[in-house]
Amino acid sequence: MPRARRPRHRPPDHLPRSLAVGGEPRSSYEIGNIVYWSPGPDIAAFYDHDGQSIPDPGIIVLGEIDSGADAFKKYDGTVDVTIEAVD
């Protein structure tokens, strides 16, 4: 998923279709959250806080990066990321 260098709460990549997900929508995030934003439909990985809240309808947390999310800060453009499930 390419990560655009925009405000750190903006979803970086459009999905080809919406996901069927459950979970409680949230208006805030933690560094390392991997989230789904349905209006896009987009997926994002948060690597920093910018102090802003997420607009309606909120985000659904799909997973998290346990460590190293701040490594994204060193990129000025986009970077391709592969997300894999871990058992």
PDB file of all heavy atoms in Angstrom, residues 21-28 57-61:
ATOM      1  N   VAL A  21     -16.405  -5.302   7.151  1.00  0.00           N
ATOM      2  CA  VAL A  21     -15.719  -5.394   8.439  1.00  0.00           C
ATOM      3  C   VAL A  21     -16.675  -5.064   9.563  1.00  0.00           C
ATOM      4  O   VAL A  21     -17.639  -4.334   9.386  1.00  0.00           O
ATOM      5  CB  VAL A  21     -14.499  -4.440   8.522  1.00  0.00           C
ATOM      6  CG1 VAL A  21     -13.445  -4.832   7.539  1.00  0.00           C
ATOM      7  CG2 VAL A  21     -14.887  -2.999   8.347  1.00  0.00           C
ATOM      8  N   GLY A  22     -16.396  -5.626  10.712  1.00  0.00           N
ATOM      9  CA  GLY A  22     -17.135  -5.285  11.917  1.00  0.00           C
ATOM     10  C   GLY A  22     -16.248  -4.408  12.778  1.00  0.00           C
ATOM     11  O   GLY A  22     -15.181  -3.983  12.360  1.00  0.00           O
ATOM     12  N   GLY A  23     -16.702  -4.148  13.949  1.00  0.00           N
ATOM     13  CA  GLY A  23     -15.906  -3.342  14.860  1.00  0.00           C
ATOM     14  C   GLY A  23     -16.530  -1.988  15.078  1.00  0.00           C
ATOM     15  O   GLY A  23     -17.328  -1.511  14.271  1.00  0.00           O
ATOM     16  N   GLU A  24     -16.156  -1.396  16.175  1.00  0.00           N
ATOM     17  CA  GLU A  24     -16.677  -0.091  16.559  1.00  0.00           C
ATOM     18  C   GLU A  24     -15.876   1.020  15.894  1.00  0.00           C
ATOM     19  O   GLU A  24     -14.656   1.083  16.058  1.00  0.00           O
ATOM     20  CB  GLU A  24     -16.588   0.046  18.080  1.00  0.00           C
ATOM     21  CG  GLU A  24     -17.249   1.260  18.637  1.00  0.00           C
ATOM     22  CD  GLU A  24     -18.760   1.221  18.540  1.00  0.00           C
ATOM     23  OE1 GLU A  24     -19.328   0.116  18.537  1.00  0.00           O
ATOM     24  OE2 GLU A  24     -19.365   2.303  18.446  1.00  0.00           O
ATOM     25  N   PRO A  25     -16.523   1.906  15.116  1.00  0.00           N
ATOM     26  CA  PRO A  25     -15.798   3.029  14.522  1.00  0.00           C
ATOM     27  C   PRO A  25     -15.193   3.920  15.605  1.00  0.00           C
ATOM     28  O   PRO A  25     -15.794   4.115  16.662  1.00  0.00           O
ATOM     29  CB  PRO A  25     -16.872   3.779  13.732  1.00  0.00           C
ATOM     30  CG  PRO A  25     -17.955   2.792  13.513  1.00  0.00           C
ATOM     31  CD  PRO A  25     -17.923   1.883  14.708  1.00  0.00           C
ATOM     32  N   ARG A  26     -14.003   4.443  15.333  1.00  0.00           N
ATOM     33  CA  ARG A  26     -13.287   5.291  16.281  1.00  0.00           C
ATOM     34  C   ARG A  26     -12.960   6.625  15.637  1.00  0.00           C
ATOM     35  O   ARG A  26     -12.751   6.706  14.439  1.00  0.00           O
ATOM     36  CB  ARG A  26     -11.997   4.609  16.712  1.00  0.00           C
ATOM     37  CG  ARG A  26     -12.230   3.280  17.387  1.00  0.00           C
ATOM     38  CD  ARG A  26     -10.972   2.501  17.574  1.00  0.00           C
ATOM     39  NE  ARG A  26     -10.128   3.126  18.581  1.00  0.00           N
ATOM     40  CZ  ARG A  26      -8.906   2.715  18.867  1.00  0.00           C
ATOM     41  NH1 ARG A  26      -8.380   1.700  18.209  1.00  0.00           N
ATOM     42  NH2 ARG A  26      -8.198   3.309  19.795  1.00  0.00           N
ATOM     43  N   SER A  27     -12.877   7.664  16.472  1.00  0.00           N
ATOM     44  CA  SER A  27     -12.520   8.992  15.976  1.00  0.00           C
ATOM     45  C   SER A  27     -11.097   9.365  16.383  1.00  0.00           C
ATOM     46  O   SER A  27     -10.673  10.500  16.191  1.00  0.00           O
ATOM     47  CB  SER A  27     -13.505  10.041  16.496  1.00  0.00           C
ATOM     48  OG  SER A  27     -13.464  10.075  17.908  1.00  0.00           O
ATOM     49  N   SER A  28     -10.366   8.409  16.948  1.00  0.00           N
ATOM     50  CA  SER A  28      -8.975   8.641  17.318  1.00  0.00           C
ATOM     51  C   SER A  28      -8.155   7.411  16.954  1.00  0.00           C
ATOM     52  O   SER A  28      -8.701   6.359  16.642  1.00  0.00           O
ATOM     53  CB  SER A  28      -8.853   8.935  18.814  1.00  0.00           C
ATOM     54  OG  SER A  28      -9.265   7.814  19.566  1.00  0.00           O
ATOM     55  N   PRO A  57     -17.284   8.819   9.056  1.00  0.00           N
ATOM     56  CA  PRO A  57     -17.853   7.896  10.032  1.00  0.00           C
ATOM     57  C   PRO A  57     -16.823   7.227  10.942  1.00  0.00           C
ATOM     58  O   PRO A  57     -17.136   6.272  11.634  1.00  0.00           O
ATOM     59  CB  PRO A  57     -18.525   6.850   9.158  1.00  0.00           C
ATOM     60  CG  PRO A  57     -17.626   6.750   7.970  1.00  0.00           C
ATOM     61  CD  PRO A  57     -17.128   8.165   7.749  1.00  0.00           C
ATOM     62  N   GLY A  58     -15.601   7.711  10.983  1.00  0.00           N
ATOM     63  CA  GLY A  58     -14.574   7.125  11.826  1.00  0.00           C
ATOM     64  C   GLY A  58     -13.801   6.023  11.116  1.00  0.00           C
ATOM     65  O   GLY A  58     -14.013   5.751   9.930  1.00  0.00           O
ATOM     66  N   ILE A  59     -12.895   5.406  11.840  1.00  0.00           N
ATOM     67  CA  ILE A  59     -12.054   4.340  11.309  1.00  0.00           C
ATOM     68  C   ILE A  59     -12.299   3.053  12.078  1.00  0.00           C
ATOM     69  O   ILE A  59     -12.755   3.070  13.214  1.00  0.00           O
ATOM     70  CB  ILE A  59     -10.552   4.703  11.409  1.00  0.00           C
ATOM     71  CG1 ILE A  59     -10.188   5.087  12.855  1.00  0.00           C
ATOM     72  CG2 ILE A  59     -10.197   5.793  10.412  1.00  0.00           C
ATOM     73  CD1 ILE A  59      -8.716   5.328  13.107  1.00  0.00           C
ATOM     74  N   ILE A  60     -12.005   1.933  11.434  1.00  0.00           N
ATOM     75  CA  ILE A  60     -12.061   0.616  12.063  1.00  0.00           C
ATOM     76  C   ILE A  60     -10.624   0.116  12.155  1.00  0.00           C
ATOM     77  O   ILE A  60      -9.922   0.057  11.132  1.00  0.00           O
ATOM     78  CB  ILE A  60     -12.896  -0.387  11.232  1.00  0.00           C
ATOM     79  CG1 ILE A  60     -14.306   0.137  10.972  1.00  0.00           C
ATOM     80  CG2 ILE A  60     -12.903  -1.757  11.904  1.00  0.00           C
ATOM     81  CD1 ILE A  60     -15.189   0.236  12.178  1.00  0.00           C
ATOM     82  N   VAL A  61     -10.171  -0.218  13.357  1.00  0.00           N
ATOM     83  CA  VAL A  61      -8.816  -0.739  13.529  1.00  0.00           C
ATOM     84  C   VAL A  61      -8.798  -2.197  13.084  1.00  0.00           C
ATOM     85  O   VAL A  61      -9.543  -3.028  13.598  1.00  0.00           O
ATOM     86  CB  VAL A  61      -8.342  -0.599  14.990  1.00  0.00           C
ATOM     87  CG1 VAL A  61      -6.964  -1.230  15.161  1.00  0.00           C
ATOM     88  CG2 VAL A  61      -8.301   0.862  15.401  1.00  0.00           C
TER      89      VAL A  61
END
